[in-house]
Amino acid sequence: MNAKDIMTRDIVTVSPTMTVKSLAMTLIKNQISGAPVTGKDGKIIGVVSEADIVAKKGKDVRGIMSEKVISVGEETTVEEIAQLMTTHAIKRLPVMSAGKLVGIVSRADIVSAIAQGKHIAIHTPIYDL
């Protein structure tokens, strides 16, 4: 099973100039815990999450976002995605194809696939139990 099989295709992105308050309202409205930050050209320049809102001080998304973006391709296996999430202590990974954002895989997407009975052999230790 690969990223393309479980990824969310309807992606909510946010602007670096969005206020933190607007970001919080966007996350709540869309029932998500984080989102890719895209520049004017549509390219990902960061990722922002609820944890950034709680732990960092800033007036806008640019001030609190994580600039280090770890992404995967559509053919990346779910096992590799789980390993990346565990290793880097992250909860979501943008899925890229030809330099464009085509989806996002969250831990919830992996859990949902398992709940639906899809075979996923995850061999990564779970540290946040």
Side-chain angles (χ1 to χ4, degrees), residues 13-107:
T13 61
V14 296
S15 161
T17 58
M18 178 182 271
T19 66
V20 172
K21 180 179 179 179
S22 292
L23 168 65
M25 290 178 1
T26 298
L27 295 180
I28 289 168
K29 176 183 164 200
N30 292 284
Q31 298 180 343
I32 55 176
S33 61
V37 182
T38 54
K40 291 179 183 175
D41 58 2
K43 298 211 182 219
I44 296 179
I45 60 171
V47 177
V48 69
S49 70
E50 293 169 332
D52 296 318
I53 293 173
V54 172
K56 298 176 183 175
K57 291 183 179 180
K59 293 180 181 179
D60 59 17
V61 169
R62 178 178 277 112
I64 66 168
M65 72 181 191
S66 299
E67 292 181 15
K68 181 180 179 186
V69 178
I70 299 168
S71 62
V72 296
E74 291 180 287
E75 298 301 323
T76 306
T77 67
V78 175
E79 292 81 6
E80 291 175 85
I81 293 168
Q83 180 66 50
L84 283 169
M85 288 178 172
T86 301
T87 301
H88 296 283
I90 53 179
K91 297 181 180 181
R92 69 202 52 77
L93 288 167
V95 181
M96 308 295 288
S97 178
K100 294 193 177 231
L101 179 65
V102 294
I104 193 161
V105 175
S106 68
R107 292 190 311 184

